[in-house]
Amino acid sequence: MADRRPDDPGLESVSQEAKLTQAHTALLTQARLKTKAASMRRQPELPRAKSVSLLVTGGPLKGHSFPLRKAQVVIGRAQGDIVITDSQISRIHCVIEVHGVTGLLLDLDSGNGTFIDGRKTPSAELDHMSEFRIGKTTLMFVVSGR
């Protein structure tokens, strides 16, 4: 679960578990197969000697950090491992899979899309300090030593 303060209007106090549908799982499998890195085609796995988090670099929650404690994390407005109250984010918006020190970002057919460098993308590989935007929120994929 993310670091959250109950007085924060942009964060829900408890994550709402989001189950990926068969359609979402099929999209994820296709995205894995399209990646250039062979390591992304295997099951997701957190790195052993490093920690991975999402840092909010833009939008109403700027400065917040969401440590990733699972190798597959769903982000959404109403359901997910990370819940961000932003009217432009879908209920279940995207998923990030961690594969060691890299990530696989997949848009789950959201209404407003997921953007990297201003371009709408269905999926993307994330390296340390890669940024992406969902709704009004910009997030950075960060890998650091423990």
Side-chain angles (χ1 to χ4, degrees), residues 3-56:
D3 295 335
R4 300 164 189 239
R5 293 190 315 253
D7 60 332
D8 236 331
L11 299 174
E12 297 295 323
S13 59
V14 178
S15 68
Q16 300 293 317
E17 193 66 29
K19 303 264 191 232
L20 294 179
T21 65
Q22 278 187 306
H24 291 153
T25 303
L27 286 172
L28 196 49
T29 300
Q30 288 173 354
R32 277 188 200 145
L33 294 173
K34 288 180 184 177
T35 62
K36 296 173 187 165
S39 63
M40 295 273 212
R41 295 186 193 116
R42 294 188 285 257
Q43 287 298 313
E45 182 177 44
L46 290 171
R48 296 181 201 273
K50 303 209 179 270
S51 61
V52 181
S53 59
L54 293 177
L55 175 64
V56 181

Side-chain angles (χ1 to χ4, degrees), residues 99-112:
H99 295 266
V101 296
T102 57
L104 176 62
L105 170 67
L106 176 71
D107 183 88
L108 297 173
D109 285 335
S110 66
N112 290 324

Side-chain angles (χ1 to χ4, degrees), residues 2-144:
D3 295 335
R4 300 164 189 239
R5 293 190 315 253
D7 60 332
D8 236 331
L11 299 174
E12 297 295 323
S13 59
V14 178
S15 68
Q16 300 293 317
E17 193 66 29
K19 303 264 191 232
L20 294 179
T21 65
Q22 278 187 306
H24 291 153
T25 303
L27 286 172
L28 196 49
T29 300
Q30 288 173 354
R32 277 188 200 145
L33 294 173
K34 288 180 184 177
T35 62
K36 296 173 187 165
S39 63
M40 295 273 212
R41 295 186 193 116
R42 294 188 285 257
Q43 287 298 313
E45 182 177 44
L46 290 171
R48 296 181 201 273
K50 303 209 179 270
S51 61
V52 181
S53 59
L54 293 177
L55 175 64
V56 181
T57 59
L61 301 178
K62 185 176 180 176
H64 285 281
S65 178
F66 297 99
L68 303 186
R69 294 190 175 97
K70 297 178 0 180
Q72 186 180 75
V73 176
V74 176
I75 303 171
R77 181 188 74 238
Q79 295 179 343
D81 302 298
I82 298 175
V83 176
I84 301 173
T85 305
D86 176 337
S87 63
Q88 294 182 12
I89 294 176
S90 295
R91 240 176 18 87
I92 300 174
H93 195 98
C94 63
V95 63
I96 294 179
E97 283 192 343
V98 179
H99 295 266
V101 296
T102 57
L104 176 62
L105 170 67
L106 176 71
D107 183 88
L108 297 173
D109 285 335
S110 66
N112 290 324
T114 299
F115 295 82
I116 292 185
D117 296 328
R119 293 189 191 112
K120 191 173 182 177
T121 183
S123 67
E125 294 178 36
L126 301 173
D127 294 313
H128 174 59
M129 298 187 71
S130 294
E131 285 189 315
F132 63 96
R133 182 178 60 79
I134 57 174
K136 299 174 197 166
T137 304
T138 303
L139 298 142
M140 179 186 288
F141 183 82
V142 178
V143 181
S144 57

